[in-house]
Amino acid sequence: MKEIDELNLPGDIYYSKEHEWAAKEGDIIRIGISDYAQDQLGDIVFVELPETGSSFERDEEFGTLESVKAVSEIYLPVSGEIVAVNSELEDAPELLNEDPYANWIVEVRPTDIDQYDELLSKDDYVAMLKG
Amino acid sequence: MTEAKQLKTTALHSSHLTHDANMAEFGGYDMPLWYPSGTKAEHLAVISRAGLFDTSHMAVLTLEGRGAFELLQHSYTRDLLHCQGKSNTPLSEGSSVYGLFLRSDGTVLDDAIIGQLGAERYMIVVNSSMGAAVSAHLRELSEGGVTITDYTDELGKIDLQGPASARILHSLLSDPEQVLADMGYFTFKGDIFPGGSTALRLKDGTSVVLSRTGYTGEFGFELFAEKADILHLWDTLLGAGEPYGLLPCGLAARDSLRAGAMLPLSHQDIGDWLFGHTPWSFVLPWDQKGDGWTKTFIGGEQLLQGKRDYTYGFAGYDPRKITISSSSEVQDGHGTPIGIILTCTTDMAIGRVGEHIFSIATAISKGRPDSFQARGLSCGFVRVGRPCEPGEKVLLVEGKRKLTVEIRKNIRPDRTARAPMARMRNR
């Protein structure tokens, strides 16, 4: 397992307490899982994605990731409507292990953009991981 | 925060850390869950090439002295006079057998592989942290005259599993022909215990017990050696296996491999409840009529009289699993709860074409489509209150998550555990 200082945590995106990342692209927010999450899960073998057009509240479960050992829920860090899902992950879930940032999971049109700024910066996230 | 537990470590612990294994607690030990290559690659390596497992957490006992045979006849579920091969011959020197130690109420204390070292001399391999409990159980039942010794902390164990295992061992043995040629499933060679006379040494002098057993469903060996020799043995095996694509493997792959092979995990699939109607009924000493025992043994009467529930293997339709919790359950097709989930994992080497399950090991000539890609299937065991037929669909439920799975007699097809040695040496 990676030490905290070995994790790849880009400084230009935000993080959630549940180990998702969020990146603003115009008026859309891309969501994925952090390097910490993929490292903890181990090999991801299945990704359950939501329907495009469905809406979720902040911190609501929007899908699941499966490693060989466990099922893990993924939570939406901002309320909004799913405008796109990365369907490449359905055939190649291991992409999340290979590069959890290039391989986003969903794109969300947020209902309240202020929620984005309430997420954790890289420094806040690292501080949380260090407990 | 939970209080830090003092975990035991194996002789390979620092090697696991050096090789960046993801470590976790199992059975009181700090053990590797997976190495950097990942669980999926490790699982597939054992099916198609070979994998190496540190299993030094398993407990190893010896039982010897006049009365050892009688004590096992009284305490172990296998009838040692009728347990070997298709013709049910007596256990003999150099052979081993899988069975259970039951408590007097018919519940399972632990499962065990017992090997006969000599007349009234046995080695007993039980689960992690169970050495003391099984020793105490045997002492309690003993009428004296036997010696029970727990060698767990003095020994280590390494499992070499997968179709390339014999070819990997070949280069390490001074006389591979003599050692391997006649080695059938559930036989072993070597005796590293005090008083043993039949040493098996590798070319480099390491004394081992080499046993053709394992916990993956695939062809392979378990090697027991003195703790001081284990790190060297591990590195030697890894080196010899490199040309064959051998990977060090963690407990996650061990768990998914054994589940796909329909092998139970003690204290999870069998345990503190009456041993029921299970895929492992062969461990009981059934008489010819099939309604009683060939011997009397601890717990036997309770099994015949008690209400025994039903344990079945299952396989799903994709890799999705259910998290086992206090609220997870098994439901029939009408949504009626019928039991609980014991194990739920993913066998990454199998997949379905229609209803049919193929393995990456299935030969094209046996029907595996050329284009077959194993996406993995969830699999494991359920314990239910009524009989189910193979092929019956049941639901695994946890919270709002529901998965349809199929009750199966077999999960991963085309396993190699019992394959003829000659075929595996020449592949």
Side-chain angles (χ1 to χ4, degrees):
Chain A
M1 215 145 32
K2 293 182 183 177
E3 302 293 335
I4 291 174
D5 56 10
E6 293 171 337
L7 293 170
N8 172 18
L9 300 171
D12 56 348
I13 57 175
Y14 285 92
Y15 299 87
S16 75
K17 291 193 174 79
E18 301 287 352
H19 311 291
E20 287 83 20
W21 56 260
K24 199 152 90 175
E25 308 265 335
D27 56 354
I28 297 296
I29 295 174
R30 270 191 178 168
I31 309 289
I33 58 165
S34 74
D35 192 30
Y36 175 84
Q38 74 77 23
D39 187 52
Q40 290 283 320
L41 283 169
D43 283 348
I44 295 166
V45 299
F46 197 84
V47 181
E48 216 165 358
L49 298 167
E51 300 269 326
T52 303
S54 54
S55 291
F56 297 88
E57 292 300 310
R58 173 160 66 172
D59 299 332
E60 194 181 347
E61 177 188 333
F62 72 95
T64 57
L65 302 179
E66 305 237 356
S67 64
V68 173
K69 288 297 283 177
V71 188
S72 303
E73 290 80 26
I74 32 180
Y75 302 95
L76 210 60
V78 292
S79 306
E81 181 195 342
I82 306 292
V83 293
V85 299
N86 183 358
S87 48
E88 248 190 297
L89 297 175
E90 290 175 349
D91 286 329
E94 64 275 10
L95 291 173
L96 288 176
N97 294 112
E98 285 165 18
D99 187 342
Y101 301 105
N103 297 293
W104 51 277
I105 299 174
V106 292
E107 289 182 337
V108 180
R109 189 183 307 284
T111 47
D112 176 4
I113 194 66
D114 289 348
Q115 288 178 352
Y116 180 71
D117 297 315
E118 292 164 19
L119 291 168
L120 304 173
S121 67
K122 173 185 173 173
D123 289 347
D124 293 342
Y125 184 58
V126 169
M128 186 196 90
L129 292 177
K130 286 183 172 163
Chain B
M1 290 290 283
T2 50
E3 221 173 290
K5 266 199 288 182
Q6 193 59 46
L7 293 181
K8 292 179 82 171
T9 55
T10 72
L12 295 170
H13 190 256
S14 56
S15 170
H16 298 321
L17 297 183
T18 309
H19 292 97
D20 286 328
N22 183 326
M23 306 292 286
E25 191 272 337
F26 182 82
Y29 285 77
D30 192 33
M31 296 297 286
L33 275 187
W34 60 78
Y35 292 84
S37 49
T39 305
K40 181 180 175 182
E42 294 168 18
H43 181 113
L44 298 180
V46 172
I47 309 281
S48 52
R49 305 188 306 275
L52 201 63
F53 299 80
D54 177 12
T55 53
S56 304
H57 58 305
M58 305 285 291
V60 183
L61 316 173
T62 58
L63 168 68
E64 51 197 324
R66 183 176 293 187
F69 169 81
E70 280 306 326
L71 178 54
L72 290 178
Q73 283 296 70
H74 182 49
S75 62
Y76 191 56
T77 58
R78 298 301 290 265
D79 184 343
L80 300 187
L81 290 175
H82 309 279
C83 66
Q84 218 182 298
K86 284 199 177 90
S87 43
N88 258 330
T89 52
L91 188 67
S92 55
E93 189 173 323
S95 288
S96 51
V97 63
Y98 171 79
L100 309 174
F101 290 110
L102 300 181
R103 299 184 189 86
S104 55
D105 60 2
T107 64
V108 179
L109 175 65
D110 206 8
D111 61 359
I113 289 182
I114 295 186
Q116 183 160 348
L117 295 163
E120 302 269 37
R121 272 185 86 231
Y122 300 90
M123 71 182 277
I124 304 175
V125 183
V126 295
N127 285 277
S128 185
S129 79
M130 289 304 292
V134 172
S135 299
H137 180 72
L138 290 173
R139 281 197 190 98
E140 206 168 291
L141 297 173
S142 156
E143 289 172 356
V146 299
T147 307
I148 299 156
T149 316
D150 187 341
Y151 284 101
T152 310
D153 292 338
E154 279 108 86
L155 301 181
K157 175 161 111 58
I158 296 172
D159 293 7
L160 172 65
Q161 300 278 296
S165 297
R167 283 168 292 152
I168 292 168
L169 265 186
H170 188 98
S171 60
L172 305 180
L173 295 165
S174 31
D175 190 352
E177 190 54 41
Q178 188 249 325
V179 173
L180 294 178
D182 63 346
M183 244 189 132
Y185 194 43
F186 271 81
T187 65
F188 67 95
K189 289 183 178 172
D191 186 342
I192 53 176
F193 303 99
S197 54
T198 51
L200 171 62
R201 289 182 188 280
L202 303 185
K203 261 186 202 167
D204 65 10
T206 312
S207 188
V208 297
V209 174
L210 177 69
S211 171
R212 206 188 136 186
T213 42
Y215 190 48
T216 60
E218 300 304 322
F219 177 82
F221 302 89
E222 297 178 290
L223 292 97
F224 302 77
E226 302 248 359
K227 196 168 186 176
D229 292 333
I230 283 290
L231 180 58
H232 172 70
L233 179 60
W234 175 264
D235 288 339
T236 304
L237 285 162
L238 274 185
E242 210 181 345
Y244 297 92
L246 173 76
L247 285 184
C249 299
L251 293 186
R254 186 167 152 88
D255 191 53
S256 52
L257 285 159
R258 69 91 193 170
M262 293 282 291
L263 301 172
L265 175 59
S266 191
H267 312 287
Q268 182 167 308
D269 301 314
I270 52 179
D272 202 6
W273 59 90
L274 193 69
F275 184 69
H277 303 275
T278 73
W280 315 292
S281 291
F282 67 88
V283 299
L284 298 172
W286 296 106
D287 62 17
Q288 284 202 331
K289 279 167 64 190
D291 57 4
W293 311 134
T294 57
K295 65 170 190 177
T296 51
F297 62 102
I298 294 291
E301 201 52 37
Q302 288 68 25
L303 288 193
L304 290 179
Q305 284 166 15
K307 186 185 176 307
R308 301 162 65 202
D309 45 24
Y310 300 82
T311 299
Y312 296 104
F314 71 83
Y317 289 83
D318 58 42
R320 281 179 303 160
K321 289 178 294 295
I322 287 280
T323 304
I324 298 173
S325 71
S326 55
S327 66
S328 59
E329 64 182 20
V330 183
Q331 297 177 358
D332 67 12
H334 308 289
T336 308
I338 56 170
I340 60 169
I341 311 164
L342 300 170
T343 286
C344 188
T345 182
T346 306
D347 188 325
M348 290 305 299
I350 57 176
R352 287 187 189 256
V353 177
E355 285 284 310
H356 196 83
I357 296 180
F358 290 101
S359 156
I360 57 166
T362 307
I364 299 276
S365 62
K366 286 184 72 181
R368 174 171 60 86
D370 232 342
S371 59
F372 175 74
Q373 278 193 319
R375 290 194 68 205
L377 297 177
S378 60
C379 63
F381 301 102
V382 294
R383 180 153 65 95
V384 295
R386 62 142 169 99
C388 296
E389 287 300 318
E392 182 175 342
K393 308 278 199 297
V394 296
L395 287 171
L396 308 186
V397 182
E398 206 260 339
K400 53 185 181 179
R401 193 173 165 86
K402 286 185 184 186
L403 283 187
T404 300
V405 301
E406 178 196 17
I407 299 293
R408 304 267 313 178
K409 270 192 153 162
N410 196 8
I411 300 172
R412 187 174 72 246
D414 303 297
R415 301 192 301 269
T416 52
R418 295 163 189 273
M421 179 64 82
R423 172 153 76 86
M424 302 315 279
R425 292 183 68 197
N426 296 321
R427 251 162 89 114

